[in-house]
Amino acid sequence: MSEHGRAETIDGAHLPSQSRDMAFAHLLLSSYQRLTGSSLCPPGFLHTGETVRWLYEAAPFGLLAHGTGADPIFVYANAVAQKCFEYSWEEFVQLPSRLSADSEAQGDREAFVRSVAEHGFVSGYRGMRLAKSGRRFWIEDVTMWNLVDADGSYHGQAAVFRSWTDGREG
């Protein structure tokens, strides 16, 4: 709901609240900047509503985040990620992140997640993923990082994938 009590929309579709949550966007961006030394946003972007909207609607990359549970659930998926994985916002935020990879890719995914937990972030990953329809695809040029606020509190992990290709390609 907007500050005036109306649901916000993108092209007539409901705009999920987390996608317009400035505090969450700040956590994504500031933890990425702090850990990697670079920015997810183009130069000149400030931490404003414009940035929040750009990350969700217009960013040229997939952006995902999961929470802190033992079997963490996705808490964020931008429009590119939703299109690649074929899940709506409502479906994504109920999905355990481990289900983003099929059974054959689980070991690789788990090793990647553990490495990120240990090192703070890892870049250059490529991994096979599974869309809702069963279609397999590669996420490539992936950076995954721990979502840690300025006080050092851990809030989960996020990943950006800058390219993706059909799973039949090698």
Side-chain angles (χ1 to χ4, degrees), residues 23-40:
F24 187 74
H26 178 72
L27 176 64
L28 281 169
L29 296 171
S30 64
S31 58
Y32 183 85
Q33 175 84 40
R34 195 176 321 105
L35 289 164
T36 69
S38 58
S39 176
L40 274 177

Side-chain angles (χ1 to χ4, degrees), residues 80-148:
V80 168
Q82 289 176 44
K83 184 175 180 181
C84 287
F85 284 91
E86 303 169 354
Y87 287 106
S88 69
W89 175 270
E90 291 77 14
E91 292 169 317
F92 243 121
V93 297
Q94 297 178 48
L95 185 70
S97 62
R98 66 180 161 76
L99 297 180
S100 65
D102 69 9
S103 58
E104 294 175 18
Q106 285 295 321
D108 177 58
R109 182 194 165 278
E110 281 304 312
F112 180 53
V113 169
R114 279 193 309 275
S115 182
V116 171
E118 182 179 327
H119 300 289
F121 81 99
V122 174
S123 289
Y125 174 79
R126 178 179 191 242
M128 181 64 70
R129 291 298 179 266
L130 185 65
K132 179 181 173 181
S133 67
R135 177 183 55 83
R136 288 175 172 75
F137 64 100
W138 292 101
I139 56 171
E140 300 161 322
D141 192 13
V142 179
T143 298
M144 187 173 190
W145 68 100
N146 290 331
L147 293 172
V148 179

Side-chain angles (χ1 to χ4, degrees), residues 49-94:
E50 176 188 356
T51 303
V52 172
R53 201 165 183 85
W54 181 83
L55 283 171
Y56 183 76
E57 293 179 23
F61 49 74
L63 181 60
L64 300 160
H66 66 225
T68 60
D71 189 11
I73 304 293
F74 283 114
V75 296
Y76 184 88
N78 74 355
V80 168
Q82 289 176 44
K83 184 175 180 181
C84 287
F85 284 91
E86 303 169 354
Y87 287 106
S88 69
W89 175 270
E90 291 77 14
E91 292 169 317
F92 243 121
V93 297
Q94 297 178 48

